[in-house]
Amino acid sequence: MRSVALSVIAIAATGALANTDSDAPKPTFTPTTVKAPFIEQFTDDWTERWTPSEATKKTPVGGETFSYVGKWEVEDPLITVIDGDKGLVAKSKAAHHAISAPFSEPIAFADKPLVIQYEVKYQKGGNCGGGYVKLLEDGFQTSGKEFSDTTPWVIMFGPDLTCPGTKVHFIFRYKSPKTGEVEEKHLKLPPRPTIEKLTNLYTLIVNPDNTYEVLFNGDSDKKGNLLEDFEPAVNPPKEIDDPEDKKPADWVDQQKIPDPDAKKPDDWDEDAPYEILDVDAVKPDDWLEDEPNYIPDPDASKPEEWDDEEDGDWIPPTVANPKCASTPGCGPWTKPHKANPDYKGKWYAPQIDNPAYKGEWAPAKIPNPNFFEDLTPVKSLSKIGGVGIELWTMTEDILFDNLYIGHSVDDAKALAAETFDVKKPLEKAAEKAATPDADEEDESSSDAFSAFKEDPISFIREKVLTFIEAVQADPVSAFKTQPETGAALAAAFFTLLGMIGALFGLVGGSSPAVVKSTKKTESSEKKVAVAPAGDEKKEETPVKKRK
């Protein structure tokens, strides 16, 4: 059990912040005096409490899928700012890790708050790695070497780098009083903080009145109610779709139909070509018909190592004929094609409302046989008998420290004041000393810019995913809280529509603009399509084809 003596901390932290020199004295770790049902600071006797898993997950037919081979060590951080301040480190990359510790007594939280708080440090940055903990159901805390993903738990909480994106999980397992089925309830819109290589503090408070609060680095990030903010909802719907109800065979759900009374106009020629030869076009006076468009490169020379007998006759590369650059074109001239003013394309009858339309069909509702109403789900949750860390990660050296599980928000804050509140400023100072040229900008803006600069695709993807989840829950609130993301997505959406419309000729009306001949045309290299007289039109015409 650890903390930093406050008197020593105040002096050492002030000195370290004022002087970033590596020789500056560091505060020294001493155990905390804060009391709680479970506090872990990974002191030398940590192995008396924690047991690494040796379990192997099996398939239904007994085949092995994976084993928990990830190594655990208690060691100093890669960058130490407090002497003797060690943490539990998941050492292995691309491996399954599992470790657990039982409580001395089961913890009930039906009548008092449950507070979970701990530190996680992704020492080598984030790349698909979990950092969450599981509070194990009472009775399964002694799984020890058999602890695995199937070991029953009550609450799962903590950060997860999900590739892409970042979220702080809050999930609880709830047993239906009607069916006895256990179901995971996930927080709909979990916090998505920016996670860097420094230590971050995660706190969850669950109250007996069903309210909860998630804090990130001591600041409230999410709060709400277990009855409102989780999916699937604790209480099932009173009515469900009747599984026996089927859509009638004569049900009409086609809202629009072609107008049966519409007739194709007599002057509508479906066979008229999209383009026709411009018979009025004349060859420009300065067209260089005897000049080729490309000529051998006069500056090219045969390589010295070229062997005509082995390599064949050497042919110089070609370059654009400079004489053609200042004229309408070179080479044989032919009349170009132009848009056909009589082109109308295939005729379709206009759409009208379907008089037989009955609307969208939906099955009838029946009472839900599994319906129940639990207005105090916190009181229905099982006691917790231990804590486990079970995760798969592509990132090595994830450090856990200063774990508090108890009932006192004030005690959790006191522990944070002795540990995290001292450690984080020192880490920032050390990071700043390592990067003295960093811009002195607003901290939140700087962190966001750094995240974007380091991995722009993941940064944008995370912003978009967060916004989409927010829209699903409350569109108005999403646009109010994230206006820049909403505006960017809206602009991208309408730009995409414009591009699709332009591609398929849907923008600007149903008929193409008629392009009149200018009597003086350019070559195909000047963006005007030409075709030999009497031949079919070339595909490279600049006029868009109708679909």
Side-chain angles (χ1 to χ4, degrees), residues 124 135 156 206 214 217 254 257 364 386 393 462 485 529 542:
K124 294 188 177 177
L135 301 188
M156 182 175 122
V206 181
V214 177
N217 291 342
Q254 185 178 355
I257 59 171
T393 176
E462 181 178 332
T485 305

mmCIF file of all heavy atoms in Angstrom, residues 124 135 156 206 214 217 254 257 364 386 393 462 485 529 542:
data_model
loop_
_atom_site.group_PDB
_atom_site.id
_atom_site.type_symbol
_atom_site.label_atom_id
_atom_site.label_comp_id
_atom_site.label_asym_id
_atom_site.label_seq_id
_atom_site.Cartn_x
_atom_site.Cartn_y
_atom_site.Cartn_z
ATOM 1 N N LYS A 124 3.701 3.160 -23.765
ATOM 2 C CA LYS A 124 4.223 3.201 -25.134
ATOM 3 C C LYS A 124 3.161 3.636 -26.128
ATOM 4 O O LYS A 124 3.255 3.361 -27.320
ATOM 5 C CB LYS A 124 4.793 1.832 -25.510
ATOM 6 C CG LYS A 124 6.026 1.467 -24.688
ATOM 7 C CD LYS A 124 6.709 0.203 -25.182
ATOM 8 C CE LYS A 124 7.971 -0.073 -24.382
ATOM 9 N NZ LYS A 124 8.622 -1.336 -24.803
ATOM 10 N N LEU A 135 -15.047 -6.278 -11.653
ATOM 11 C CA LEU A 135 -15.352 -6.586 -10.260
ATOM 12 C C LEU A 135 -16.069 -7.932 -10.253
ATOM 13 O O LEU A 135 -17.172 -8.059 -10.796
ATOM 14 C CB LEU A 135 -16.215 -5.489 -9.649
ATOM 15 C CG LEU A 135 -15.595 -4.086 -9.658
ATOM 16 C CD1 LEU A 135 -16.440 -3.122 -8.848
ATOM 17 C CD2 LEU A 135 -14.172 -4.109 -9.121
ATOM 18 N N MET A 156 -17.876 -3.983 -15.086
ATOM 19 C CA MET A 156 -16.625 -3.812 -15.824
ATOM 20 C C MET A 156 -16.474 -2.317 -16.100
ATOM 21 O O MET A 156 -17.401 -1.665 -16.596
ATOM 22 C CB MET A 156 -16.670 -4.590 -17.145
ATOM 23 C CG MET A 156 -15.394 -4.504 -17.957
ATOM 24 S SD MET A 156 -15.486 -5.579 -19.415
ATOM 25 C CE MET A 156 -15.215 -4.381 -20.700
ATOM 26 N N VAL A 206 -21.158 4.605 -8.275
ATOM 27 C CA VAL A 206 -22.502 4.053 -8.459
ATOM 28 C C VAL A 206 -23.249 4.215 -7.148
ATOM 29 O O VAL A 206 -22.809 3.704 -6.098
ATOM 30 C CB VAL A 206 -22.458 2.570 -8.867
ATOM 31 C CG1 VAL A 206 -23.874 2.034 -9.076
ATOM 32 C CG2 VAL A 206 -21.626 2.387 -10.138
ATOM 33 N N VAL A 214 -19.058 9.097 -13.993
ATOM 34 C CA VAL A 214 -17.736 8.695 -14.459
ATOM 35 C C VAL A 214 -16.860 9.932 -14.488
ATOM 36 O O VAL A 214 -17.246 10.961 -15.069
ATOM 37 C CB VAL A 214 -17.797 8.059 -15.868
ATOM 38 C CG1 VAL A 214 -16.388 7.719 -16.358
ATOM 39 C CG2 VAL A 214 -18.674 6.819 -15.857
ATOM 40 N N ASN A 217 -9.582 11.877 -14.773
ATOM 41 C CA ASN A 217 -8.598 12.757 -14.137
ATOM 42 C C ASN A 217 -9.238 13.703 -13.131
ATOM 43 O O ASN A 217 -8.873 14.871 -13.022
ATOM 44 C CB ASN A 217 -7.812 13.536 -15.196
ATOM 45 C CG ASN A 217 -6.901 12.637 -16.003
ATOM 46 O OD1 ASN A 217 -6.593 11.528 -15.594
ATOM 47 N ND2 ASN A 217 -6.478 13.110 -17.163
ATOM 48 N N GLN A 254 -46.194 -0.299 -51.592
ATOM 49 C CA GLN A 254 -45.513 0.512 -52.599
ATOM 50 C C GLN A 254 -46.198 1.872 -52.657
ATOM 51 O O GLN A 254 -47.356 1.979 -53.061
ATOM 52 C CB GLN A 254 -45.555 -0.174 -53.970
ATOM 53 C CG GLN A 254 -44.767 0.567 -55.043
ATOM 54 C CD GLN A 254 -44.779 -0.170 -56.377
ATOM 55 O OE1 GLN A 254 -45.293 -1.282 -56.475
ATOM 56 N NE2 GLN A 254 -44.241 0.451 -57.402
ATOM 57 N N ILE A 257 -46.317 4.710 -57.836
ATOM 58 C CA ILE A 257 -46.377 3.840 -59.016
ATOM 59 C C ILE A 257 -46.299 4.718 -60.266
ATOM 60 O O ILE A 257 -46.604 5.925 -60.227
ATOM 61 C CB ILE A 257 -47.686 3.026 -59.057
ATOM 62 C CG1 ILE A 257 -48.907 3.973 -59.083
ATOM 63 C CG2 ILE A 257 -47.771 2.047 -57.894
ATOM 64 C CD1 ILE A 257 -50.227 3.267 -59.336
ATOM 65 N N ALA A 364 -48.556 -6.855 -35.186
ATOM 66 C CA ALA A 364 -49.348 -6.420 -34.035
ATOM 67 C C ALA A 364 -48.538 -6.592 -32.753
ATOM 68 O O ALA A 364 -47.606 -7.396 -32.686
ATOM 69 C CB ALA A 364 -50.645 -7.217 -33.965
ATOM 70 N N GLY A 386 -14.104 -9.757 -5.537
ATOM 71 C CA GLY A 386 -12.712 -9.588 -5.944
ATOM 72 C C GLY A 386 -12.623 -8.720 -7.177
ATOM 73 O O GLY A 386 -13.637 -8.245 -7.705
ATOM 74 N N THR A 393 -4.403 -7.324 -25.735
ATOM 75 C CA THR A 393 -3.828 -6.039 -26.121
ATOM 76 C C THR A 393 -2.730 -6.209 -27.152
ATOM 77 O O THR A 393 -1.992 -7.200 -27.155
ATOM 78 C CB THR A 393 -3.260 -5.295 -24.895
ATOM 79 O OG1 THR A 393 -2.625 -4.095 -25.317
ATOM 80 C CG2 THR A 393 -2.260 -6.159 -24.148
ATOM 81 N N GLU A 462 -12.358 8.739 -34.685
ATOM 82 C CA GLU A 462 -12.879 8.795 -33.322
ATOM 83 C C GLU A 462 -13.909 9.914 -33.181
ATOM 84 O O GLU A 462 -14.954 9.733 -32.566
ATOM 85 C CB GLU A 462 -11.732 9.000 -32.338
ATOM 86 C CG GLU A 462 -12.177 9.051 -30.887
ATOM 87 C CD GLU A 462 -11.003 9.196 -29.927
ATOM 88 O OE1 GLU A 462 -9.897 8.743 -30.282
ATOM 89 O OE2 GLU A 462 -11.201 9.762 -28.851
ATOM 90 N N THR A 485 -17.895 19.030 -35.778
ATOM 91 C CA THR A 485 -17.982 17.702 -36.393
ATOM 92 C C THR A 485 -19.256 17.574 -37.211
ATOM 93 O O THR A 485 -19.245 17.043 -38.326
ATOM 94 C CB THR A 485 -17.946 16.610 -35.309
ATOM 95 O OG1 THR A 485 -16.778 16.791 -34.507
ATOM 96 C CG2 THR A 485 -17.930 15.235 -35.934
ATOM 97 N N ALA A 529 -13.247 16.511 -77.634
ATOM 98 C CA ALA A 529 -13.167 15.200 -78.249
ATOM 99 C C ALA A 529 -13.312 15.323 -79.749
ATOM 100 O O ALA A 529 -14.124 16.085 -80.259
ATOM 101 C CB ALA A 529 -14.275 14.309 -77.700
ATOM 102 N N PRO A 542 -15.716 15.700 -73.477
ATOM 103 C CA PRO A 542 -15.879 16.380 -72.189
ATOM 104 C C PRO A 542 -17.322 16.541 -71.775
ATOM 105 O O PRO A 542 -17.609 16.909 -70.673
ATOM 106 C CB PRO A 542 -15.220 17.746 -72.439
ATOM 107 C CG PRO A 542 -15.391 17.967 -73.898
ATOM 108 C CD PRO A 542 -15.265 16.612 -74.538
#
